[in-house]
Amino acid sequence: ITLKQSASIQLDKILEEMKRDPLSRWKIESHTDNVGSIEANNKTSLRRAEAIQNYFLSRGISKIRLEAIGFGSKFPIADNKTEQGRNKNKRVVIKRIN
């Protein structure tokens, strides 16, 4: 998975916060829409979360501080019956967990 330039800008803002507090820990949660099989969506979401984790690792953040999780289509935030809803469901959430 290749990250878009716009994603790098957002990730760099989070990276700055990670560097300000070297004891902080973070959870990277990736989600998909419901198009495709459950297995394929789970794999896609995990690969996406791991791509972001690798972004942070390549910039000096320790792996012990990061947790990458792929939820697939398990937790939609919008209706998967519309393109707009499916686009909202394809998302990554990065949370500070301490």
Side-chain angles (χ1 to χ4, degrees):
I1 292 180
T2 303
L3 299 175
K4 296 179 182 178
Q5 179 66 28
S6 60
S8 297
I9 293 168
Q10 293 174 328
L11 294 176
D12 285 343
K13 291 178 183 178
I14 297 169
L15 179 64
E16 289 301 316
E17 189 173 341
M18 290 176 171
K19 288 181 176 181
R20 276 195 299 274
D21 185 355
L23 298 178
S24 62
R25 295 188 58 238
W26 299 79
K27 187 179 289 188
I28 304 160
E29 301 176 345
S30 178
H31 304 266
T32 66
D33 60 20
N34 68 347
V35 175
S37 71
I38 291 171
E39 182 180 350
N41 286 334
N42 288 342
K43 286 180 182 179
T44 296
S45 63
L46 181 58
R47 283 196 329 262
R48 189 180 299 135
E50 288 173 340
I52 292 170
Q53 180 182 43
N54 289 335
Y55 183 88
F56 292 132
L57 292 172
S58 73
R59 282 151 179 82
I61 302 301
S62 171
K63 186 169 181 157
I64 198 166
R65 297 176 58 197
L66 304 169
E67 180 180 1
I69 303 171
F71 286 112
S73 60
K74 190 174 181 179
F75 299 111
I77 59 170
D79 190 344
N80 274 307
K81 292 179 183 175
T82 67
E83 184 177 349
Q84 183 180 18
R86 289 187 297 273
N87 286 336
K88 286 182 180 180
N89 289 330
K90 293 184 255 184
R91 69 196 187 281
V92 174
V93 179
I94 302 173
K95 300 178 182 178
R96 184 179 172 146
I97 56 175
N98 78 330

